[in-house]
Amino acid sequence: MRGVAPLGSLMAVCFVCVATSATWGQTRTVSFGTSGTPWMDVAEQVIGLEDSTANGALQPFFLDPDKNILVGPRTELDELTNIFNLKWSLNKVGRGSDFVLGVNPRFWTATWSSIYHGGPRPYIDGDPYTVNKVIGVRAGSGGRDQLYTFDFGFPLAINRVVFYPPDRGVDEKGGLMKQRFPRAYEVSATSDPESYLLLSEEREYHTLDRLIARTFFNGDRIVDLRFPTQIMRFLRISFNLIDQSYLLGEIEVYGEGFPPVTSYRTQVIDLGREVNIGRISWKFEKFRYDPIAQEIESAPDAPIELTLETRSGKDDTPKSYHIVSEIGTQQRVKKSKFDLAPESSIRLGARPGDKGEISEDTANWSPWSTPYKQSGTEVRSPDGRRYFQFRYNSISEDFMAFGRMDSIAIEVSPLLVEKIIGEVGLVDGEFPPGIHSAPAGVEVPLLYAIKAVFGAQGNRGFNVIRINTISDAEFIGLEIGNPGTTIVPDSVRSQNGMLEVYFPSNKVQRNSGEEEVRLIFRASMLSYSTHFLAEIEELNGETLAQSVEPGDATTALASDDIRIYVEEKSIEVLSSFVTSARHLTPNGDGVNDLLHLRYTLLSIDEGMLHIEVLNLLGESVRSVEKEPQRKGIYTRTWDGRDDRGVLVSPGVYLIKASVETNKGNFTKILPVALAY
């Protein structure tokens, strides 16, 4: 079945070139799945998914209740695989470059002694007639060789466990092997990846969290345990309950439905050249399987969560490879040299020239983005890079429901400039060095410098600058060139925390190798640190916007960054709450008919805000606002009416603003007089 290819074969390729359009002068779309490059052609890691059932779309593997999930097709080297075609590790500590903890299944016994008797392999080889060694044990001996543990690699919906002795043959005493079945056993399971079930040594072997079955008086030659379906990753079978000797021929495990957690990750995708990246779109549908009708039906409300993330890079691997240097330090090398280096010796340890650490290459690759919530969202990974990677996982709370990923597409276009660098700092007479800080919630003047470097990969230029200021900003001035020439923009827009400056009459273009642009504006800091993310664009062009990277953009600043920090002592969640006047006279004369309430929320992603009007007895007469809000500066109004829409009586009222957050609850109260 396509979609469950061995993990090792999928990881053998470092990156893949994606077929691209011959036209590089405009925006194009790179697609994967049913409308583009097949999923498995670019797959690096696939967990619990296949692409053969739905004509090339990815969906979770269906567990046939009649198929043993422990047995799959053998590899060319006669290695055992499970039903997902993932290679078994027959040791607790998986070995080999194609083993990944949390992906490959593992099966191990309590001690190493079973290795000398062929290990646990015969119990899951699919041959129920294999004659295994006679096992004897004294009760209370600690379960040596009598305790078997399975790690399926990822959670599965399991409802049946079977084990039995060989069906034919005579044992060493002349008795029938099929009568040497265990008289006592215990079966337990868990979904939690506890440390003792991963790679650490387990000194005291014990029952897992969920006891499935236990008996001291088994009379069944074939033990066939059927139980309500449970989600589990680890399964343990123990025979160390009484003094007994027995034979095992095979262990079988069965399940149903779909793996509740599945994931997919691409190899590094070579886009052919440095590009700007636009939106990412996908087609993901939810379905539910009806086991009675044996039909699949659309289920838009199924409890399934999709998490999709991206990252971009400057080279063809997001990893840094190292070998051990002559003085014992980690020396970074190319992957080709790392692959040729020998492994460290178990007995002698690491020697000069041996393979060293493999770590994330944070210098050339961005971290994984925050998850995308909606198809058609702008990609958050940096522009100006040639290499790209995405991954997704799907989590279902119902093992009979699943998500099907039909396709994923990303927009790409040529660079506007070969490199665009930004730097921000406070305007305070002169531009002081270092990363700047400002009081929270107070408007301050800022200089945002941008250096555009033109070259063969990008020389179209730009005439729009867009800066995410978080709070609303006030434009002050624009300069182009060094020394700067003051430019009057064609238009300026500042709304919803975004400052946009348009200057098509003075487009920045390739007059020289690089050009400097300075933008001055006023804005407030609403978090401990504010990242002033920016992008440039060519108005009415056929290309995408290009994001600005932090760096040394001007000699006027020395921050080399696009962040402004907040002075910690000034941080308060509900930092300000003021009214437009101390009294309200809603008599229709146009003077103080409305009371404007202005408040600032700092350093929260979301909190429940409630603004209400109270009388002097503390009773609520009007709820002005009650909804989740994030950091920002807001304005609301009160018209002097209660919740029924009736004007309240003259007197003194209290305006109470409160916000509930995971940092605590914050409240401010202001008195207001109302008269007619």
Side-chain angles (χ1 to χ4, degrees):
M1 177 175 289
R2 214 175 164 207
V4 288
L7 184 67
S9 65
L10 295 179
M11 298 183 71
V13 182
C14 293
F15 66 96
V16 60
C17 295
V18 176
T20 58
S21 168
T23 302
W24 272 95
Q26 59 187 12
T27 301
R28 59 191 177 88
T29 300
V30 180
S31 301
F32 305 88
T34 59
S35 60
T37 304
W39 294 113
M40 296 306 161
D41 287 0
V42 293
E44 180 180 83
Q45 187 178 95
V46 182
I47 301 178
L49 296 167
E50 50 90 5
D51 70 343
S52 59
T53 300
N55 298 320
L58 277 178
Q59 70 176 48
F61 192 104
F62 178 70
L63 295 181
D64 187 330
D66 296 322
K67 289 188 177 180
N68 177 14
I69 68 171
L70 304 183
V71 178
R74 304 284 183 95
T75 69
E76 295 180 355
L77 299 177
D78 197 38
E79 297 166 307
L80 300 182
T81 69
N82 66 1
I83 199 169
F84 300 103
N85 205 9
L86 295 171
K87 192 172 71 175
W88 280 98
S89 169
L90 301 180
N91 293 291
K92 186 173 186 179
V93 180
R95 294 178 171 84
S97 60
D98 56 353
F99 172 81
V100 178
L101 186 65
V103 177
N104 291 82
R106 296 179 295 151
F107 177 35
W108 70 92
T109 58
T111 70
W112 295 103
S113 61
S114 63
I115 293 176
Y116 303 108
H117 301 278
R121 175 188 176 98
Y123 305 128
I124 58 170
D125 62 1
D127 181 3
Y129 304 115
T130 302
V131 179
N132 298 314
K133 71 186 182 75
V134 177
I135 301 176
V137 66
R138 290 183 299 105
S141 66
R144 306 301 183 185
D145 288 355
Q146 304 296 294
L147 186 142
Y148 303 89
T149 306
F150 293 90
D151 173 8
F152 302 129
F154 45 92
L156 298 174
I158 305 299
N159 57 13
R160 186 182 174 200
V161 177
V162 182
F163 51 87
Y164 47 86
D167 191 47
R168 63 191 179 194
V170 178
D171 65 16
E172 75 284 358
K173 297 180 180 180
L176 296 176
M177 287 188 176
K178 66 181 181 180
Q179 296 301 323
R180 293 281 295 279
F181 55 88
R183 307 298 173 172
Y185 60 81
E186 177 187 271
V187 179
S188 59
T190 186
S191 297
D192 300 328
E194 301 286 354
S195 59
Y196 68 85
L197 290 172
L198 298 178
L199 300 180
S200 62
E201 182 180 356
E202 186 178 0
R203 298 184 180 278
E204 295 182 4
Y205 301 99
H206 53 270
T207 304
L208 300 185
D209 292 343
R210 278 177 272 153
L211 180 64
I212 294 175
R214 178 190 290 148
T215 183
F216 295 87
F217 308 102
N218 175 46
D220 297 324
R221 182 177 66 84
I222 299 177
V223 177
D224 191 340
L225 300 173
R226 298 172 187 249
F227 46 90
T229 304
Q230 300 183 28
I231 303 299
M232 64 180 72
R233 174 177 165 181
F234 301 92
L235 177 72
R236 174 164 284 179
I237 304 175
S238 173
F239 300 107
N240 184 33
L241 303 180
I242 63 173
D243 292 349
Q244 62 176 328
S245 64
Y246 58 89
L247 291 172
L248 280 183
E250 194 78 353
I251 300 175
E252 300 172 359
V253 178
Y254 298 86
E256 64 174 337
F258 304 88
V261 180
T262 58
S263 66
Y264 172 87
R265 185 175 71 230
T266 67
Q267 301 169 34
V268 172
I269 298 166
D270 183 359
L271 297 171
R273 61 186 290 184
E274 287 77 8
V275 296
N276 289 329
I277 306 173
R279 295 170 296 178
I280 183 167
S281 305
W282 61 88
K283 182 180 180 182
F284 182 79
E285 299 178 278
K286 301 177 182 180
F287 297 89
R288 181 175 281 107
Y289 176 72
D290 184 342
I292 298 177
Q294 296 187 351
E295 294 180 349
I296 290 176
E297 57 186 19
S298 177
D301 297 328
I304 301 171
E305 180 182 0
L306 173 70
T307 301
L308 174 64
E309 301 165 310
T310 63
R311 63 179 175 181
S312 59
K314 301 175 183 177
D315 57 20
D316 60 13
T317 174
K319 301 292 185 182
S320 292
Y321 297 89
H322 304 82
I323 62 173
V324 180
S325 70
E326 293 291 337
I327 59 174
T329 59
Q330 298 288 327
Q331 178 184 353
R332 184 172 179 176
V333 296
K334 292 184 177 180
K335 185 177 183 301
S336 57
K337 184 173 182 179
F338 176 86
D339 291 338
L340 295 175
E343 299 284 351
S344 298
S345 169
I346 296 178
R347 183 171 60 88
L348 299 176
R351 301 155 297 181
D354 284 352
K355 284 186 171 71
E357 297 177 351
I358 301 177
S359 59
E360 295 293 325
D361 182 4
T362 56
N364 294 301
W365 275 81
S366 67
W368 287 104
S369 68
T370 54
Y372 298 98
K373 299 297 185 181
Q374 186 174 359
S375 178
T377 302
E378 291 289 330
V379 171
R380 302 187 189 101
S381 301
D383 290 320
R385 300 185 175 192
R386 174 173 176 171
Y387 301 95
F388 190 77
Q389 195 174 20
F390 65 82
R391 67 183 182 187
Y392 82 84
N393 65 58
S394 175
I395 301 176
S396 175
E397 297 178 13
D398 180 354
F399 59 83
M400 286 299 179
F402 68 94
R404 177 183 293 163
M405 182 65 80
D406 180 84
S407 58
I408 293 177
I410 58 170
E411 294 177 328
V412 298
S413 74
L415 300 180
L416 298 175
V417 297
E418 188 149 297
K419 192 171 185 179
I420 187 79
I421 302 171
E423 189 173 9
V424 68
L426 269 66
V427 177
D428 187 12
E430 296 184 359
F431 302 107
I435 297 178
H436 296 182
S437 62
V442 177
E443 282 194 346
V444 293
L446 298 170
L447 166 68
Y448 202 115
I450 293 176
K451 181 168 70 174
V453 180
F454 292 89
Q457 297 296 323
N459 54 25
R460 299 175 65 99
F462 59 97
N463 49 29
V464 180
I465 296 176
R466 190 175 290 111
I467 302 177
N468 186 353
T469 56
I470 311 299
S471 64
D472 288 343
E474 177 191 355
F475 172 79
I476 296 177
L478 174 68
E479 296 180 357
I480 298 179
N482 191 9
T485 301
T486 300
I487 300 297
V488 177
D490 293 82
S491 63
V492 174
R493 182 188 304 167
S494 179
Q495 61 183 16
N496 301 322
M498 188 71 68
L499 175 63
E500 299 175 313
V501 181
Y502 298 83
F503 44 96
S505 301
N506 295 275
K507 178 180 177 180
V508 177
Q509 49 194 341
R510 189 173 185 172
N511 297 320
S512 61
E514 58 185 50
E515 195 72 83
E516 185 174 316
V517 180
R518 296 184 180 191
L519 183 60
I520 302 175
F521 59 94
R522 297 178 64 89
S524 300
M525 311 306 122
L526 304 178
S527 297
Y528 287 103
S529 67
T530 300
H531 283 68
F532 288 93
L533 302 176
E535 62 183 16
I536 58 172
E537 188 176 353
E538 184 183 20
L539 190 64
N540 300 324
E542 298 178 334
T543 58
L544 300 169
Q546 183 170 340
S547 57
V548 176
E549 295 190 31
D552 185 8
T554 179
T555 57
L557 296 173
S559 66
D560 296 350
D561 205 344
I562 57 173
R563 289 177 295 178
I564 298 291
Y565 287 102
V566 162
E567 297 168 0
E568 188 170 354
K569 62 182 180 181
S570 67
I571 281 287
E572 184 180 356
V573 171
L574 185 57
S575 71
S576 68
F577 180 49
V578 296
T579 59
S580 57
R582 293 187 176 183
H583 61 277
L584 177 65
T585 57
N587 51 24
D589 63 359
V591 180
N592 291 333
D593 284 337
L594 294 175
L595 186 70
H596 298 281
L597 313 172
R598 182 180 174 88
Y599 58 95
T600 301
L601 300 178
L602 301 178
S603 190
I604 59 170
D605 292 327
E606 185 173 274
M608 177 57 70
L609 177 90
H610 190 195
I611 298 178
E612 57 183 334
V613 181
L614 310 175
N615 60 26
L616 292 180
L617 296 176
E619 300 169 334
S620 178
V621 297
R622 174 70 180 272
S623 179
V624 177
E625 179 89 345
K626 190 173 185 179
E627 64 178 23
Q629 289 184 349
R630 66 189 304 274
K631 58 194 174 189
I633 301 174
Y634 303 89
T635 301
R636 297 294 184 265
T637 59
W638 180 42
D639 58 3
R641 299 177 183 271
D642 61 18
D643 285 328
R644 298 171 300 169
V646 179
L647 286 171
V648 300
S649 301
V652 177
Y653 292 86
L654 303 176
I655 313 295
K656 178 183 177 182
S658 60
V659 57
E660 298 178 9
T661 74
N662 56 9
K663 302 177 181 179
N665 300 334
F666 305 88
T667 301
K668 288 183 183 294
I669 299 177
L670 297 174
V672 172
L674 186 142
Y676 297 110

